[in-house]
Every structure is written in C-alpha cells, then in structure tokens.
Amino acid sequence: RRNNFCFRETELPRSVNCTTDLDAALNFSDRYIMAIPTQFVREVCEKVASRGEREGHILNLAKGIEISTGDLLHRVYAECCPFLKYSALSGPSHAEEVLVGRPTTVALASTDEDEAKGWQEIVSGNNFRVYTGTDVIGLEVGGATKNIYAVAAGIAKALDLGDNAMAALASRGLAEIMRFGAKLGASPLTLSGLAGVGDLIVTCTSMHSRNRRAGILIGQGKDPQAAMKEVGAVVEGYYAAKSAYELGKAKGIDMPITDAAYKVLYEGADVREAVQALLSRQRKSESEDAGWQ
C-alpha cells in the first residue's frame, strides 16, 4: 500500500482497493482515472482494448505529446479506446502538495460538457477545486508544452541568470505555447488560465517540478540522460521538447525557446551558447511576435 518509488512515507487509505490485475481494475467500475507516463499511454490503452470494448468513462492525468506520432493524448485514446468517453485534467497540481491537502485548483475538459461535470463532482474536494471546460486541445497543449519551459527554467536557475531572465523565459514561453496552440485549434482563454499560465508558473518556479530539477542538473553540466536518472522520475519535458520541436517545424511555428531546448537536450548544444543565440535573434516588436496569431 506504498509507492516505494516516491511518497514512500505515505500509506494508501484502507478504503482504496489495490491490485496489479488489469482485468480486476477494469471490472471494478466503468470509470477509470489514468495516471500513466505519456509515452506508455498507447501500450496501456491497447491492453485495455484487448479486454473487449465496454462503454465507460476515462479521465486522463498525463501531460505530454506522443513522440512516435506527434499526437496529443485525446487522439491516442480516440484511436485505441473509442468506446470510452474521454476527459482530461490539468493545471498547477504538484502531487506533493495535493497529497498533504494544500489548496489546489485545476481544469478538467471534455468535448461533452455533461461528461466534464460528472467528473467534476467525483474528484472535487474541500482543498481540491475543479473548473470545467470543453477545450480539450487547449488543456492538453498547455499541460504538454509547459514542461519544456520548466527544463529551460532549471537551466536558467543553474546559470544564475536572475529573476529578469526567468520572467522573460516564462512570458516568451507562453507566447510560444499560444502560437503552438493556435495551430492545433486551442482557445487562447484556456491557455491564459489554469491549464496554461497556471501550470507554466508552478512548473517553472517550484522545486517540486521534476522538469525544473532536471534542468538545473543539465545547467550544472550533467548529461540529460544522467540528469533524468538522478531526478528519478519521468521528465516529460525531455520528450515534449522533441515532439513539439518536430511538430513546430512541420507546421511552420516559430518556437525559438523550444528549438534551443531541443538542441541542448538532443544535440549536445552548450547551454550558454544557446542562451546567447536566443538573445541575439533578430529584433522585432512584441506585437508582431505576439503569441496569438
């Protein structure tokens, strides 16, 4: 009843049934909350589908883009488990704080408004406030891309670039998220809310952020693979940087911070040279480089 990988001091309540038997879990209810690292979602969905099509409701907690396809997760679920009604939850919600009851507010989206409200009733609590919406794409774009800028924020912290640079990184990162979201069909209102700005702020500033911690280690000179191993948990920003970089290039989206992160993480670029390259870009007005176009 303990997770020895993390939170090992916490025991799950006796009211929670634990099992490693997928069939037993699927037969227990027709509502499934899926907390699986992004790059393993398809594998688990295929196992669920192999048990036979059954109507049900799924709430996805993963934040990321599938590397092999460039797909957001609602598309993966639609392809593998079309018989399940899909919702996703995102926002500034580090598990370390949720676990001890600190106030947390998140966003939950489904294309079916009633479906979102159904999950809202189930997962809301005294210290866990849930807002609903129908913009699944916007919610997933915000949750996936913010991890890239958290890695970059960690690198900036390690290089002691200062608070001015950190604020610039977050705000220009948001502009990239907005441009990326616009191409994929997201609403700017979603990305200016909990699933966008909110999640971006917390993951760029909190030491609970695995992505930020990995960035700090990389900024200190560690190889990205060694940094992720030391963090000891999935660093989604590493994978999101590759997915967003490739998708951005394919769709012609200007994403200079993402490009720099990709070069550092996958091509071995020097972090200080990457920062200088960003600062040396062609000068332009902020309005012409606005996030929403």
Side-chain angles (χ1 to χ4, degrees), residues 118-151:
W119 278 113
Q120 181 186 42
E121 289 300 314
I122 292 170
V123 301
S124 294
N126 291 336
N127 293 311
F128 196 77
R129 182 171 176 80
V130 180
Y131 287 91
T132 62
T134 57
D135 181 18
V136 173
I137 293 175
L139 182 135
E140 291 190 344
V141 164
T145 54
K146 55 91 181 182
N147 289 320
I148 303 167
Y149 308 104
V151 174

Side-chain angles (χ1 to χ4, degrees), residues 23-205:
D23 290 310
L26 292 172
N27 290 331
F28 181 77
S29 172
D30 67 348
R31 287 187 176 268
Y32 316 119
I33 299 177
M34 305 289 271
I36 303 162
T38 297
Q39 306 311 320
F40 296 96
V41 165
R42 182 176 294 273
E43 178 185 338
V44 175
C45 282
E46 289 173 348
K47 289 180 180 179
V48 170
S50 71
R51 268 58 176 186
E53 295 188 8
R54 64 186 88 193
E55 291 187 0
H57 314 263
I58 201 154
L59 179 61
N60 170 49
L61 305 188
K63 302 175 181 180
I65 302 170
E66 189 177 48
I67 289 178
S68 61
T69 62
D71 284 342
L72 293 170
L73 292 177
H74 72 276
R75 295 186 63 180
V76 178
Y77 279 99
E79 180 181 337
C80 298
C81 301
F83 46 90
L84 296 175
K85 294 182 178 180
Y86 182 82
S87 302
L89 182 147
S90 192
S93 51
H94 285 308
E96 293 86 349
E97 296 191 359
V98 176
L99 189 65
V100 296
R102 289 187 172 174
T104 299
T105 306
V106 296
L108 193 157
S110 173
T111 55
D112 182 333
E113 189 174 358
D114 289 336
E115 186 73 8
K117 288 180 178 178
W119 278 113
Q120 181 186 42
E121 289 300 314
I122 292 170
V123 301
S124 294
N126 291 336
N127 293 311
F128 196 77
R129 182 171 176 80
V130 180
Y131 287 91
T132 62
T134 57
D135 181 18
V136 173
I137 293 175
L139 182 135
E140 291 190 344
V141 164
T145 54
K146 55 91 181 182
N147 289 320
I148 303 167
Y149 308 104
V151 174
I155 293 173
K157 177 68 175 176
L159 298 179
D160 195 26
L161 299 185
D163 294 338
N164 295 344
M166 197 67 73
L169 173 63
S171 56
R172 298 312 305 160
L174 179 62
E176 290 191 16
I177 293 172
M178 288 284 192
R179 287 195 292 270
F180 190 80
K183 285 287 187 180
L184 298 184
S187 165
L189 292 176
T190 303
L191 295 173
S192 63
L194 290 162
V197 173
D199 214 357
L200 179 66
I201 291 171
V202 77
T203 202
C204 284
T205 60

